[in-house]
Amino acid sequence: MIKQFLYKYYIRFKRKQYISDQKKKGTIISNKSKGYLHASFEGKNLVPDLCNFVGNIKIGYATTLGHENLFAGDVTIGKYCQLGIGVAVHTTNHPMNYMSTYINNNLFKGELKTLKETSKVSIGNDVWIGHNVIIVGNVTIGNGAILAAGCVVTKDVPPYTIVGGVPAKIIRKRFPDHIIQEIEALQWWNLSDAELEKIKPLFFKNFETANSIYE
């Protein structure tokens, strides 16, 4: 009984200390979220209420999450991404080629959990993920992609591409290939604040009919 009390007190203290340490880096974490001790944050992140982190989760600089986001497995998210409410990223799956998909403790004391399949989801930089998007399996999301609200992503999404639907399909590219190549080469998400200030006018240009981002 005493051990349980001390353990709970220790975990409570550790969570409080972690939230405080992250705040010094500009990252705000709600104490109503869970599992954030197992996640890494690069700084200036926002973790609102009821987010859940299970596994190896890496969140890039200035990426902000939405309420009730779930990350399970091996997940890496780049810089300057924005996620809507109810986004779920799953890189684990129940075993489908065995006798049963059931892996809870009620069967063989949970020994079947060892059969769980684990893959990886990698999300690039400057990606916009709409409300209630689900991302599953071994998937890579390119820089600048847009995932429409409610879609289920089961395959790779190319850079600067808009996808939607169940399962998600390509709707269109955001820009012509030559514009995409210029943005990819610029890699603005890796620039310092001072460097970003110098190219600030680029962020206010409409590239829909542009021949170059620099024109």
Side-chain angles (χ1 to χ4, degrees):
M1 194 72 175
I2 295 177
K3 284 184 178 181
Q4 281 184 324
F5 173 79
L6 290 175
Y7 179 75
K8 287 182 179 179
Y9 179 83
Y10 168 74
I11 293 298
R12 203 176 298 130
F13 170 79
K14 195 173 180 180
R15 286 174 179 167
K16 189 175 181 180
Q17 185 64 50
Y18 186 81
I19 290 176
S20 177
D21 290 342
Q22 291 298 321
K23 195 172 183 179
K24 294 174 184 176
K25 298 194 300 181
T27 291
I28 306 301
I29 301 176
S30 168
N31 60 10
K32 294 181 180 179
S33 288
K34 296 180 179 180
Y36 47 79
L37 291 175
H38 305 295
S40 64
F41 303 92
E42 287 191 1
K44 286 193 175 181
N45 305 110
L46 174 63
V47 181
D49 293 347
L50 305 178
C51 290
N52 201 348
F53 304 86
V54 182
N56 180 30
I57 317 298
K58 298 177 182 177
I59 310 294
Y61 182 80
T63 285
T64 58
L65 310 181
H67 288 256
E68 296 187 75
N69 284 181
L70 169 64
F71 307 95
D74 189 353
V75 181
T76 299
I77 302 178
K79 304 173 182 178
Y80 296 98
C81 295
Q82 289 185 295
L83 283 66
I85 296 170
V87 171
V89 184
H90 300 267
T91 73
T92 60
N93 203 3
H94 291 245
M96 294 187 291
N97 299 319
Y98 293 83
M99 176 75 76
S100 175
T101 61
Y102 194 87
I103 55 176
N104 286 345
N105 291 333
N106 295 327
L107 182 61
F108 305 127
K109 298 180 179 179
E111 290 179 32
L112 295 177
K113 289 180 181 179
T114 59
L115 302 178
K116 187 161 50 172
E117 301 167 4
T118 302
S119 52
K120 180 178 177 61
V121 167
S122 180
I123 299 172
N125 306 286
D126 190 26
V127 175
W128 175 20
I129 303 178
H131 297 325
N132 298 313
V133 168
I134 298 174
I135 304 173
V136 296
N138 192 27
V139 169
T140 297
I141 312 295
N143 296 321
I146 297 176
L147 312 185
C151 70
V152 178
V153 181
T154 60
K155 296 180 180 179
D156 292 352
V157 178
Y160 294 91
T161 300
I162 303 171
V163 300
V166 181
K169 295 181 179 180
I170 293 176
I171 297 173
R172 65 176 176 87
K173 291 184 178 180
R174 291 177 58 193
F175 310 116
D177 288 341
H178 62 278
I179 296 294
I180 294 173
Q181 289 169 7
E182 287 183 337
I183 301 174
E184 290 272 60
L186 179 61
Q187 294 188 11
W188 64 263
W189 43 83
N190 289 328
L191 300 180
S192 66
D193 288 345
E195 290 170 323
L196 285 171
E197 277 296 324
K198 293 179 181 178
I199 64 167
K200 184 177 178 180
L202 294 180
F203 289 82
F204 293 88
K205 287 185 177 181
N206 188 329
F207 297 147
E208 187 174 5
T209 58
N211 293 316
S212 170
I213 65 174
Y214 301 106
E215 69 175 10

